[in-house]
Amino acid sequence: MLYYLLALLVIIIDQVTKWLVMMNMELRESIPIIDNFLYITSHRNPGAAWGILAGQMTFFYIITAIVIVVIIYYIKKYAHESKWLGVGLGLILGGAIGNFIDRLAYQEVVDFIDMYFGSYSYPIFNVADSALVIGVILIGIVVLKEDFGKGAKKDD
Ligand SMILES: CCC[C@@H]1OC(=O)[C@@H](C)C[C@H](C)CCCCC(=O)CCC[C@@H](CC)/C=C/C=C(\COC)CC[C@@H](O)[C@@H](O)C[C@H](O)CNC1=O
């Protein structure tokens, strides 16, 4: 149950930040937060990461629906086993729904977190993407830790 609340929190923060960007910024307007590193840039992406599959909304709806069903199944089945697994699943659920709302409402995703690493400009992303990536990393750590744990026991 707690993990659904986490997903809801992610969705609310994601939608509020996107709404603030849409209401207060012109498209492509950029506000420096930390010069040469972090900017808030109003951006739209009709695709997935790096703009791949732009405009393929039906594909995105299907993939996102599958992601949501699979995540809910795993939360029901495994979240009681590992708190961090549940947190990771909740973050991915929230992130997927956050971008899903944009795709349903605008057929594109609102992005605004614009980061530069030296001369490399990382693709502009949003809170939902951050939750998705952090969720994926968290689950990766839990799964790897468990594998190592099992391996250690076998060696005993
Ligand atoms: C984060 C997944 C992307 C997110 O997937 C979603 O919505 C899911 C729920 C539904 C997709 C239709 C299906 C997954 C596609 C997988 C994918 O794409 C490979 C991802 C690799 C990943 C390593 C883990 C890199 C990360 C990149 C970025 C995020 O870095 C923080 C750059 C984000 C910017 O290009 C920004 O414009 C993207 C825009 O906001 C729309 N976002 C999406 O499509």
Side-chain angles (χ1 to χ4, degrees), residues 8-82:
L8 187 65
L9 185 68
V10 167
I11 295 166
I12 291 168
I13 296 171
D14 176 59
Q15 290 300 309
V16 166
T17 49
K18 286 171 176 174
W19 186 80
L20 287 171
V21 166
M22 280 192 285
M23 288 298 138
N24 300 303
M25 291 178 72
E26 296 296 313
L27 196 54
R28 279 190 288 283
E29 182 185 344
S30 187
I31 302 170
I33 304 295
I34 303 171
D35 266 334
N36 303 318
F37 174 60
L38 177 63
Y39 297 76
I40 301 290
T41 305
S42 177
H43 176 264
R44 304 294 182 271
N45 179 355
W50 291 286
I52 56 173
L53 299 167
Q56 308 298 325
M57 281 306 139
T58 316
F59 172 75
F60 292 140
Y61 296 153
I62 294 166
I63 291 274
T64 308
I66 294 170
V67 165
I68 291 169
V69 166
V70 166
I71 293 292
I72 290 175
Y73 170 77
Y74 273 87
I75 286 181
K76 287 189 184 314
K77 204 155 158 47
Y78 295 109
H80 60 278
E81 275 180 27
S82 151

Side-chain angles (χ1 to χ4, degrees), residues 45 47-50 52 60 63-64 96 99 103 109 111 122-126 129 132-133:
N45 179 355
W50 291 286
I52 56 173
F60 292 140
I63 291 274
T64 308
N99 282 336
R103 291 186 167 117
V109 176
D111 292 318
Y122 191 81
I124 305 175
F125 59 96
N126 56 36
D129 295 331
L132 277 160
V133 171

